[in-house]
Amino acid sequence: MKLELDGVSKRYGTATALDSVSLTVDDGEFFTLVGPSGCGKTTTLRCIAGFESPTAGTVRFDGESMDGVPPEARGVGVVFQNYALFPHMSVGENVAYGLRFVDPPGGVTRDERVAELLELVDLAGFEDRDPDSLSGGQQQRVALARALAPGPDILLLDEPMSALDARLRERLRQQVKRIQSELGVTTVYVTHDQSEALAVSDRVAVLNRGRVEQVGEPRDVYHRP
Ligand code: ADP
Ligand code: ADP
């Protein structure tokens, strides 16, 4: 699925969170938004997901305007920085929650889909576990499994590693990268960490004060003369 932002602006009262952001993310691309806190990364994801409506401009999926299309109808999976698993539900129930709006893809049952996804994120057999009994990295992988359960065309990851220590971050980063290329899902990844952006991205956009400052392959963005 190809993703386009065409002159997307978002204002909150007099504050401008996004100022005419135009970006194209190709089908299957791993695209990263980097920039300091407050530059508009999360707002960009929220406009793509449909949690926010742009004040101006248009978000398009494969050329089709998403104006007025609610989040659950967009075919987007989202993982936020704080795992946001439901503590009163088992791991399996948390993943199945990702299927509340759609039937499992591929003609399998819900239970089969949950098992498939847990295997994909290296948590096979964890269905009955309590989220609280899992490490931070494992919890983030459950959140990833939940986001991927309906077979989204677009995956949005908002600082999914930020609560983890360096070693776990590196492992989760490799797992996310492997899963992303295996599924070929168009991915927009948000981080303030340049080394993370370098390690995983096909292309990077640098945001500053709600504007796109640079777009390019990681080496071009970070090693310019
Ligand atoms: P980032 O994700 O890069 O840290 P955000 O997209 O969260 O940046 O925020 C961009 C700017 O918009 C910040 O100045 C933030 O305070 C402001 N902002 C974001 N959401 C809201 C909101 N709901 N109401 C008012 N201001 C907001
Ligand atoms: P991040 O740094 O990842 O953007 P924040 O803590 O800044 O996280 O924002 C978390 C949520 O609060 C986001 O949904 C953002 O849109 C919203 N938000 C951010 N700034 C403001 C603000 N000034 N007023 C209201 N909501 C805000």
Side-chain angles (χ1 to χ4, degrees):
M1 177 77 68
K2 179 176 166 171
L3 166 64
E4 283 170 274
L5 278 75
D6 184 0
V8 170
S9 295
K10 181 68 188 176
R11 282 181 280 281
Y12 296 102
T14 55
T16 299
L18 294 180
D19 186 3
S20 198
V21 167
S22 293
L23 291 169
T24 301
V25 181
D26 291 325
D27 185 35
E29 193 171 23
F30 198 117
F31 192 93
T32 300
L33 300 175
V34 289
S37 182
C39 71
K41 304 181 297 296
T42 298
T43 303
T44 304
L45 289 196
R46 292 175 65 81
C47 287
I48 296 168
F51 303 142
E52 302 275 4
S53 304
T55 312
T58 309
V59 173
R60 293 190 196 90
F61 293 178
D62 272 351
E64 200 178 316
S65 169
M66 288 295 115
D67 286 1
V69 177
E72 62 273 16
R74 292 192 180 197
V76 165
V78 186
V79 179
F80 295 105
Q81 67 188 101
N82 313 309
Y83 334 115
L85 297 179
F86 299 111
H88 56 287
M89 291 185 190
S90 68
V91 164
E93 287 164 351
N94 267 281
V95 177
Y97 187 80
L99 296 166
R100 69 199 177 287
F101 298 121
V102 294
D103 289 331
V108 298
T109 66
R110 257 154 213 274
D111 286 352
E112 285 166 347
R113 182 65 180 165
V114 169
E116 235 170 63
L117 265 297
L118 286 176
E119 193 176 331
L120 181 72
V121 300
D122 295 330
L123 291 172
F126 275 60
E127 278 88 341
D128 295 331
R129 294 283 293 273
D130 194 350
D132 289 343
S133 73
L134 270 51
S135 72
Q138 290 174 331
Q139 291 187 33
Q140 273 307 58
R141 275 142 58 203
V142 175
L144 180 62
R146 181 176 62 190
L148 290 171
D153 297 312
I154 294 176
L155 179 64
L156 305 177
L157 304 171
D158 193 353
E159 304 248 10
M161 324 284 187
S162 61
L164 306 176
D165 69 36
R167 198 180 53 84
L168 275 179
R169 260 207 316 268
E170 169 61 25
R171 255 192 71 202
L172 182 60
R173 185 196 294 162
Q174 287 171 5
Q175 285 169 319
V176 166
K177 182 67 187 168
R178 169 183 61 78
I179 290 164
Q180 191 273 341
S181 45
E182 216 169 288
L183 299 177
V185 61
T186 305
T187 299
V188 184
Y189 182 87
V190 159
T191 183
H192 60 269
D193 183 335
Q194 293 194 359
S195 64
E196 244 167 52
L198 272 167
V200 294
S201 317
D202 295 318
R203 283 189 306 144
V204 175
V206 181
L207 293 188
N208 192 21
R209 295 168 175 233
R211 306 192 72 132
V212 178
E213 279 202 329
Q214 284 187 68
V215 185
E217 292 181 17
R219 83 191 73 179
D220 298 329
V221 170
Y222 292 121
H223 298 283
R224 289 187 313 158

